[in-house]
Coordinates of all heavy atoms in Angstrom, one line a residue:
G7 N 124.3 85.5 99.6 CA 123.5 86.2 98.6 C 122.4 85.4 98.0 O 121.6 85.9 97.1
Q8 N 122.2 84.1 98.4 CA 121.2 83.2 97.7 C 119.9 83.3 98.5 O 119.8 82.8 99.6 CB 121.7 81.8 97.7 CG 120.7 80.8 97.1 CD 120.3 81.1 95.7 OE1 121.1 80.9 94.8 NE2 119.1 81.6 95.4
M9 N 118.9 83.9 97.9 CA 117.6 84.0 98.5 C 116.8 82.7 98.3 O 116.8 82.2 97.2 CB 116.8 85.2 98.0 CG 117.5 86.6 98.2 SD 117.8 87.0 99.9 CE 119.5 86.7 100.0
V10 N 116.2 82.2 99.4 CA 115.4 81.0 99.3 C 114.2 81.2 98.4 O 113.9 80.3 97.6 CB 115.0 80.5 100.7 CG1 114.3 79.2 100.6 CG2 116.2 80.4 101.6
Q11 N 113.6 82.4 98.5 CA 112.5 82.6 97.6 C 112.8 82.5 96.1 O 112.0 82.0 95.4 CB 111.9 84.0 97.9 CG 110.6 84.3 97.2 CD 110.1 85.7 97.6 OE1 110.7 86.5 98.3 NE2 108.9 86.0 97.1
D12 N 114.0 82.9 95.8 CA 114.4 82.8 94.4 C 114.6 81.4 94.0 O 114.2 81.0 92.8 CB 115.7 83.6 94.1 CG 115.5 85.1 94.3 OD1 114.3 85.6 94.3 OD2 116.5 85.8 94.5
L13 N 115.1 80.5 94.9 CA 115.3 79.1 94.6 C 113.9 78.5 94.4 O 113.7 77.7 93.4 CB 116.0 78.4 95.8 CG 117.5 78.5 95.9 CD1 117.9 77.9 97.2 CD2 118.2 77.9 94.7
A14 N 113.0 78.8 95.3 CA 111.6 78.2 95.2 C 110.9 78.6 94.0 O 110.1 77.9 93.4 CB 110.8 78.5 96.5
A15 N 111.1 79.9 93.6 CA 110.4 80.5 92.4 C 110.9 79.9 91.1 O 110.2 80.0 90.1 CB 110.5 82.0 92.4
A16 N 112.1 79.3 91.1 CA 112.6 78.7 89.8 C 111.7 77.6 89.3 O 111.7 77.4 88.1 CB 114.0 78.2 90.1
G17 N 111.0 76.9 90.2 CA 110.0 75.9 89.8 C 110.6 74.6 89.3 O 109.9 73.8 88.7
L19 N 112.9 72.6 91.1 CA 113.4 71.9 92.2 C 112.6 70.6 92.5 O 111.5 70.6 92.7 CB 113.5 72.7 93.5 CG 114.4 73.9 93.6 CD1 114.3 74.6 94.9 CD2 115.9 73.4 93.4
Y26 N 120.5 72.9 102.4 CA 119.4 73.0 103.2 C 118.9 71.7 103.8 O 118.1 71.7 104.7 CB 118.2 73.6 102.5 CG 118.5 75.0 101.9 CD1 119.1 75.1 100.6 CD2 118.3 76.1 102.6 CE1 119.4 76.3 100.0 CE2 118.6 77.4 102.0 CZ 119.1 77.4 100.8 OH 119.5 78.7 100.2
T102 N 103.3 92.6 104.5 CA 104.5 91.7 104.5 C 104.6 90.8 103.3 O 105.6 90.7 102.6 CB 104.4 90.8 105.8 OG1 104.4 91.6 106.9 CG2 105.6 89.9 105.9
R103 N 103.5 90.2 102.9 CA 103.4 89.4 101.7 C 103.8 90.2 100.5 O 104.5 89.8 99.6 CB 102.1 88.7 101.6 CG 101.9 87.9 100.3 CD 100.6 87.1 100.3 NE 100.6 86.0 101.3 CZ 100.1 85.9 102.5 NH1 99.4 87.0 102.9 NH2 100.2 84.9 103.2
E104 N 103.2 91.4 100.4 CA 103.5 92.3 99.3 C 105.0 92.6 99.1 O 105.5 92.7 98.0 CB 102.6 93.6 99.4 CG 102.6 94.4 98.1 CD 101.7 95.6 98.2 OE1 100.8 95.6 99.1 OE2 101.8 96.5 97.3
F105 N 105.6 92.9 100.3 CA 107.0 93.2 100.2 C 107.8 92.0 99.7 O 108.6 92.2 98.8 CB 107.6 93.5 101.6 CG 109.1 93.6 101.7 CD1 109.8 94.7 101.1 CD2 109.8 92.6 102.2 CE1 111.2 94.7 101.1 CE2 111.2 92.6 102.2 CZ 111.9 93.7 101.6
F106 N 107.6 90.8 100.2 CA 108.4 89.7 99.7 C 108.0 89.3 98.3 O 108.8 88.6 97.7 CB 108.2 88.5 100.7 CG 108.9 88.6 102.0 CD1 108.3 88.9 103.1 CD2 110.3 88.5 102.0 CE1 109.0 89.1 104.3 CE2 111.1 88.6 103.1 CZ 110.4 88.9 104.3
H107 N 106.9 89.8 97.8 CA 106.6 89.5 96.4 C 107.1 90.6 95.4 O 106.8 90.5 94.2 CB 105.1 89.3 96.2 CG 104.6 87.9 96.7 ND1 103.3 87.5 96.7 CD2 105.3 86.9 97.3 CE1 103.2 86.3 97.2 NE2 104.4 85.9 97.6
L108 N 107.8 91.6 95.9 CA 108.4 92.6 95.1 C 109.5 91.9 94.2 O 110.0 90.9 94.6 CB 109.0 93.7 95.9 CG 108.0 94.6 96.7 CD1 108.8 95.6 97.6 CD2 107.2 95.5 95.7
P109 N 109.8 92.6 93.1 CA 110.9 92.1 92.3 C 112.2 92.0 93.1 O 112.4 92.9 94.0 CB 111.0 93.1 91.1 CG 109.7 93.7 91.1 CD 109.2 93.8 92.5
P110 N 113.1 91.0 92.9 CA 114.3 90.9 93.6 C 115.1 92.2 93.7 O 115.7 92.5 94.8 CB 115.1 89.8 92.9 CG 114.0 89.0 92.3 CD 112.9 89.9 91.9
K113 N 113.9 94.5 96.4 CA 114.2 94.1 97.8 C 115.7 94.2 98.1 O 116.1 94.5 99.3 CB 113.7 92.7 98.0 CG 112.2 92.5 98.0 CD 111.8 91.1 98.2 CE 112.1 90.3 96.9 NZ 111.4 88.9 96.9
Y137 N 117.3 93.2 104.6 CA 116.7 92.0 103.9 C 117.7 91.0 103.5 O 118.8 91.4 103.0 CB 115.9 92.6 102.7 CG 115.6 91.5 101.7 CD1 114.5 90.6 101.9 CD2 116.3 91.4 100.5 CE1 114.2 89.6 101.0 CE2 116.0 90.4 99.6 CZ 115.0 89.5 99.8 OH 114.7 88.6 98.9
G138 N 117.4 89.8 103.7 CA 118.3 88.7 103.2 C 118.0 87.4 104.0 O 116.9 87.1 104.4
I139 N 119.1 86.6 104.1 CA 119.0 85.4 104.9 C 119.8 85.6 106.2 O 120.6 86.6 106.3 CB 119.4 84.2 104.2 CG1 120.9 84.2 103.8 CG2 118.6 83.9 102.9 CD1 121.5 83.0 103.2
D150 N 118.5 77.5 106.7 CA 117.1 77.5 106.9 C 116.4 77.9 105.7 O 116.8 78.7 104.9 CB 116.7 78.4 108.1 CG 117.2 77.9 109.4 OD1 117.4 76.6 109.6 OD2 117.5 78.7 110.3
W151 N 115.2 77.3 105.5 CA 114.4 77.6 104.3 C 113.5 78.8 104.6 O 112.3 78.7 104.7 CB 113.5 76.4 104.0 CG 112.8 76.4 102.7 CD1 111.6 76.7 102.4 CD2 113.5 76.0 101.4 NE1 111.3 76.6 101.0 CE2 112.5 76.2 100.4 CE3 114.8 75.6 101.1 CZ2 112.7 75.9 99.1 CZ3 115.0 75.4 99.7 CH2 114.0 75.5 98.7
C152 N 114.1 80.0 104.6 CA 113.4 81.2 104.8 C 114.2 82.4 104.5 O 115.5 82.4 104.5 CB 112.9 81.4 106.3 SG 114.2 81.6 107.5
D153 N 113.6 83.5 104.1 CA 114.2 84.8 103.9 C 113.6 85.7 105.0 O 112.5 85.5 105.5 CB 113.9 85.4 102.5 CG 114.5 84.6 101.4 OD1 115.5 83.8 101.7 OD2 114.0 84.7 100.3
R154 N 114.3 86.8 105.3 CA 113.7 87.7 106.4 C 114.1 89.2 106.2 O 115.1 89.5 105.5 CB 114.1 87.2 107.7 CG 115.5 87.0 108.2 CD 116.5 88.0 107.9 NE 117.6 87.9 108.9 CZ 118.4 88.9 109.2 NH1 118.3 90.1 108.6 NH2 119.4 88.8 110.0
T225 N 109.4 87.4 108.4 CA 109.9 86.1 107.9 C 109.0 85.6 106.8 O 107.8 85.5 107.0 CB 110.2 85.1 109.0 OG1 110.9 85.7 110.0 CG2 111.0 83.9 108.4
Y226 N 109.6 85.2 105.7 CA 108.9 84.6 104.6 C 109.4 83.2 104.4 O 110.6 82.9 104.2 CB 109.1 85.4 103.3 CG 108.5 84.8 102.1 CD1 107.1 84.9 101.9 CD2 109.2 84.0 101.1 CE1 106.5 84.3 100.8 CE2 108.6 83.5 100.0 CZ 107.2 83.6 99.8 OH 106.6 83.1 98.8
Y227 N 108.5 82.2 104.5 CA 108.9 80.8 104.3 C 108.3 80.4 103.0 O 107.1 80.2 102.8 CB 108.3 79.9 105.4 CG 108.8 80.3 106.8 CD1 108.0 81.2 107.6 CD2 110.0 79.8 107.3 CE1 108.5 81.6 108.9 CE2 110.4 80.2 108.6 CZ 109.7 81.0 109.3 OH 110.1 81.4 110.6
P228 N 109.1 80.2 101.9 CA 108.6 79.9 100.6 C 108.1 78.4 100.6 O 108.4 77.6 101.4 CB 109.8 80.0 99.7 CG 110.8 80.8 100.5 CD 110.6 80.5 101.9
P229 N 107.2 78.1 99.6 CA 106.8 76.7 99.4 C 108.1 75.9 99.3 O 109.0 76.3 98.6 CB 106.0 76.8 98.1 CG 105.5 78.2 98.0 CD 106.6 79.0 98.6
E307 N 103.3 78.9 101.0 CA 104.1 79.9 101.6 C 103.5 80.3 102.9 O 102.3 80.2 103.2 CB 104.1 81.2 100.6 CG 102.8 81.9 100.5 CD 103.0 83.1 99.6 OE1 104.0 83.3 98.9 OE2 102.0 84.0 99.7
M309 N 104.0 83.4 106.3 CA 104.5 84.6 106.8 C 104.5 84.7 108.3 O 103.6 84.1 108.9 CB 103.7 85.8 106.3 CG 103.4 85.8 104.8 SD 104.7 86.3 103.8 CE 104.0 85.9 102.2

Side-chain angles (χ1 to χ4, degrees):
Q8 178 61 70
M9 299 301 105
V10 183
Q11 186 177 7
D12 294 341
L13 282 175
L19 291 178
Y26 303 88
T102 300
R103 179 173 283 103
E104 189 174 347
F105 169 76
F106 283 106
H107 284 183
L108 289 172
K113 291 177 290 189
Y137 163 76
I139 63 173
D150 293 329
W151 193 258
C152 69
D153 298 337
R154 55 48 154 203
T225 310
Y226 178 78
Y227 302 94
E307 69 177 16
M309 316 278 173

